[in-house]
Amino acid sequence: MAFLNRRNILAGFGAGLLFTSRIKALHAANPRNLDEKPKFDTSPFQLGIASGDPSPDGFVIWTRLVPNPLHLDAGIKHNRPMLVNWEVGEDERLSQIVRKGQALAHPELAHSIHVEVTGLKPDRPYWYRFHIAGYDSTIGRSHTFPQFNASPTRVRFAAAGCQHYEEGYYTAWRHIANEPVDFVFHYGDYIYEGGDKKDGIHTLNGRPFKALRRHIGPECYSLDEYRRRYAQYKTDEDLQAAHASVPWIVTFDDHEVDNNWAGDSDQDGTPPDIFRLRRESAMQAYYEHMPLRLSSMPDGSHMRIYRNLRYGDLMNTFVLDTRQYRSDQAYGDQTVTQGADVWSPSRTMMGEAQEQWLFDGLARSDTRWNLLAHQVMMMNLAHRKSDHSELVYSMDQWSGYMYSRKRLLQFIEQHCPGNVVNVTGDAHRHFAGNLSYDTDHIKPVSVEFLATSISSGSDGLGDDDHFSRSVRRENPQLLATTDQRGYVVCDVGRDLWAADLKVLDKVMEQNANLSTYASFAVERGKPVLQKS
Ligand code: FE
Ligand code: CA
């Protein structure tokens, strides 16, 4: 929205019409089937609250009415629309209310509400709460972003994701709730779609593993199954605490739908028309449970999640979607040597429209830094399965889309050298490294911090397993990696971008210890990681 040209104005006008009609639809007179006197046996705020997508004058506040999170009907007795009261105040006790209203919780959206609060002051904290039928939600804290032309000296954020419920406690979320950050970036794998692991011994990360907590129900296909999975995950108090502490900027990866899906393809060879039905359920459930704006509400099996958020003149965040528009993985999505297909110009990671949007945005961006916040590893990481076997690469990460990758990194080098930082996830390990785009052009043009998982992979192997040794040996661009759970905290100043890779010593027990595995800094204009 900061970039104006004729095409964007026209595009914005079209989107504006659609947006206005959606707003009107949501704010129409009370529906005839309104439940005027909703009743609950227990608090309907079992999933907590959340806020997200801050702007200089507001943010989204979210909740969903769920008296019984583990039941497919969510414990809703009368499946009708209901009015939820919301209020936003300037102090943590909400004694100074500055905005309030009522929002309709529609059964079509599983009684979730997404209120886009506006008219607030820039760059300050606010607190919010919901109320219905004699029940109050807890009070959450959010924060507006600075004005677009403000010159903030600092922004801090945590990057995290991959929170398999069965594989560990969410202790990392508890720590994030206490970090002095301005927002959280969630890179995806908010839920895992698979069925209950059952009560046996499994193999995880090459070791025997018994589920710490159990998924309820089989693999998710229907809308109600996805809804119940989000509800189960959201009962976790550590996760709720992190949502209540700061606004989140979220995107999805694969497990919100199905492992390693790509565009219209799943990993099982399901016909695209059939897979899209599942994707439609998954996207709707994702929207229903995230603090997203109306512009991200799905339309059928498609959802617009890529977007841009500006933090004064300090940082422009481009949230990418590398699942919905990508070409199917090459070579059957195996971990293999890089054949000609990974360099094929006809294969894409972002799709043409998103790539053009990103390039236009980066070309016009006048902030000190640009953050590319996305899902999967951008480093072209090689490893050997055993000491004397060939070098292999993931076909699900950018290493399987080398032509797209080169085009993006070349664009960065030409148009915004030295001010683009990539923050990613998905790999269930920390990785920090430099990004160059060709073997004959090894000069780094950007850097990457890949945040390890909150819980996926359970207690890790540390950094002296075969994989760690192999990637360290084969990848001079890689400066740190470890298989432990945790998150990344970025501390962005006007000339220096610092990042801490935080790790927990375990996740199979509560109250684990947090420490910093490694710290790096990047100087603006000099896209290489420096150990600090
Ligand atoms: Fe994951
Ligand atoms: Ca993933």
Side-chain angles (χ1 to χ4, degrees):
M1 85 186 68
F3 317 115
L4 294 179
N5 65 17
R6 199 179 132 75
R7 202 175 68 196
N8 281 359
I9 288 170
L10 290 174
F13 186 66
L17 281 181
L18 175 70
F19 189 67
T20 314
S21 66
R22 278 183 166 184
I23 291 256
K24 266 192 198 148
L26 281 189
H27 294 274
N30 287 343
R32 281 190 286 274
N33 59 342
L34 183 73
D35 186 349
E36 310 240 8
K37 289 204 172 101
K39 274 204 178 71
F40 304 98
D41 295 335
T42 177
S43 170
F45 297 112
Q46 307 281 332
L47 306 192
I49 52 176
S51 76
D53 276 18
S55 64
D57 77 333
F59 38 75
V60 180
I61 54 173
W62 171 95
T63 194
R64 180 187 161 204
L65 306 176
V66 179
N68 183 351
L70 304 186
H71 200 274
L72 278 179
D73 72 6
I76 296 281
K77 284 190 189 147
H78 304 288
N79 205 13
R80 291 157 60 181
M82 303 173 204
L83 282 168
V84 183
N85 297 287
W86 58 269
E87 51 192 357
V88 173
E90 288 187 334
D91 62 298
E92 56 194 320
R93 291 188 176 164
L94 291 176
S95 52
Q96 300 287 325
I97 300 294
V98 291
R99 287 282 177 282
K100 63 178 179 176
Q102 286 191 315
L104 271 170
H106 293 280
E108 290 87 342
L109 289 172
H111 297 100
S112 62
I113 59 171
H114 305 73
V115 180
E116 299 194 31
V117 184
T118 57
L120 303 179
K121 295 175 203 156
D123 199 16
R124 61 150 293 159
Y126 285 94
W127 286 263
Y128 60 97
R129 175 171 61 190
F130 301 94
H131 176 90
I132 187 171
Y135 293 100
D136 280 333
S137 73
T138 53
I139 295 176
R141 179 187 170 282
S142 194
H143 208 286
T144 49
F145 271 9
Q147 273 172 327
F148 288 160
N149 61 1
S151 293
T153 54
R154 186 181 198 187
V155 59
R156 286 176 288 186
F157 66 94
C162 286
Q163 48 194 52
H164 201 303
Y165 190 75
E166 297 180 306
E167 296 178 4
Y169 287 113
Y170 290 172
T171 315
W173 282 128
R174 177 65 61 179
H175 285 288
I176 289 172
N178 296 320
E179 291 277 3
V181 291
D182 299 293
F183 67 89
V184 163
F185 165 56
H186 195 295
Y187 61 69
D189 288 1
Y190 193 101
I191 57 155
Y192 282 74
E193 80 287 5
D196 168 17
K197 269 201 177 65
K198 304 253 163 48
D199 200 19
I201 303 291
H202 308 268
T203 304
L204 183 68
N205 229 346
R207 292 182 303 186
F209 174 76
K210 193 172 180 307
L212 174 78
R213 310 187 277 194
R214 303 262 298 273
H215 277 164
I216 292 185
E219 181 163 348
C220 299
Y221 285 92
S222 73
L223 177 54
D224 281 344
E225 287 164 347
Y226 281 110
R227 284 170 169 166
R228 180 172 60 183
R229 188 58 55 81
Y230 282 99
Q232 183 182 15
Y233 276 49
K234 278 179 167 285
T235 57
D236 187 279
E237 289 180 9
D238 295 334
L239 176 59
Q240 288 190 11
H243 273 297
S245 68
V246 282
W248 285 30
I249 296 171
V250 302
T251 188
F252 52 73
D253 189 23
D254 55 331
H255 287 287
E256 284 83 355
V257 183
D258 183 37
N259 181 52
N260 285 15
W261 66 284
D264 287 345
S265 306
D266 72 2
Q267 59 177 357
D268 303 312
T270 306
D273 291 346
I274 307 289
F275 173 61
R276 273 199 300 273
L277 297 173
R278 181 186 192 181
R279 203 175 91 183
E280 182 167 344
S281 297
M283 297 262 162
Q284 179 169 342
Y286 181 75
Y287 172 74
E288 287 170 352
H289 292 86
M290 294 298 134
L292 284 167
R293 291 182 184 271
L294 206 52
S295 51
S296 288
M297 190 161 103
D299 185 4
S301 64
H302 175 259
M303 168 171 189
R304 166 77 185 250
I305 194 94
Y306 66 83
R307 61 202 189 283
N308 163 235
L309 298 99
R310 184 183 164 106
Y311 195 92
D313 73 352
L314 182 58
M315 185 173 79
N316 226 332
T317 298
F318 295 88
V319 181
L320 308 185
D321 175 350
T322 59
R323 284 285 161 200
Q324 217 171 173
Y325 315 103
R326 68 152 90 181
S327 309
D328 198 7
Q329 290 93 348
Y331 305 111
D333 199 13
Q334 302 293 305
T335 302
V336 290
T337 54
Q338 282 172 320
D341 287 3
V342 308
W343 286 101
S344 164
S346 65
R347 297 181 63 259
T348 174
M349 189 57 143
M350 290 188 279
E352 213 176 303
Q354 178 179 199
E355 190 173 293
Q356 200 51 55
W357 162 86
L358 176 62
F359 288 0
D360 285 351
L362 283 175
R364 291 189 179 81
S365 183
D366 59 356
T367 49
R368 300 288 292 175
W369 298 95
N370 293 292
L371 163 64
L372 301 191
H374 48 129
Q375 291 80 14
V376 300
M377 181 184 284
M378 197 146 196
M379 254 173 276
N380 185 29
L381 198 81
H383 76 280
R384 295 180 201 276
K385 287 181 182 167
S386 64
D387 281 353
H388 301 291
S389 59
E390 58 200 356
L391 288 175
V392 291
Y393 299 78
S394 164
M395 290 297 109
D396 186 58
Q397 300 170 348
W398 285 85
S399 48
Y401 299 81
M402 289 299 278
Y403 192 85
S404 280
R405 181 180 182 277
K406 180 173 178 173
R407 209 161 44 217
L408 173 54
L409 290 174
Q410 249 174 351
F411 190 90
I412 289 171
E413 184 182 37
Q414 284 159 11
H415 296 272
C416 30
N419 66 33
V420 177
V421 173
N422 288 269
V423 174
T424 56
D426 169 66
H428 303 178
R429 284 173 171 259
H430 277 310
F431 290 92
N434 300 322
L435 300 172
S436 53
Y437 57 78
D438 222 334
T439 40
D440 57 8
H441 187 106
I442 53 166
K443 189 180 140 219
V445 299
S446 184
V447 297
E448 176 174 21
F449 298 108
L450 188 156
T452 186
S453 54
I454 291 285
S455 58
S456 304
S458 195
D459 290 339
L461 303 173
D463 59 9
D464 198 24
D465 59 307
H466 168 78
F467 180 83
S468 298
R469 288 191 298 271
S470 179
V471 290
R472 275 201 299 270
R473 203 179 304 129
E474 307 297 345
N475 301 275
Q477 78 279 24
L478 175 69
L479 299 186
T481 185
T482 185
D483 177 7
Q484 292 176 84
R485 310 290 69 84
Y487 54 93
V488 168
V489 173
C490 291
D491 185 345
V492 185
R494 294 192 73 79
D495 299 302
L496 202 71
W497 181 306
D500 289 334
L501 316 187
K502 304 263 187 158
V503 291
L504 292 170
D505 55 356
K506 52 192 166 229
V507 290
M508 290 298 277
E509 289 168 40
Q510 274 169 318
N511 304 315
N513 293 312
L514 184 76
S515 59
T516 300
Y517 176 75
S519 298
F520 293 95
V522 195
E523 277 175 60
R524 186 172 177 275
K526 211 174 149 194
V528 284
L529 293 183
Q530 299 165 33
K531 196 130 193 176
S532 54

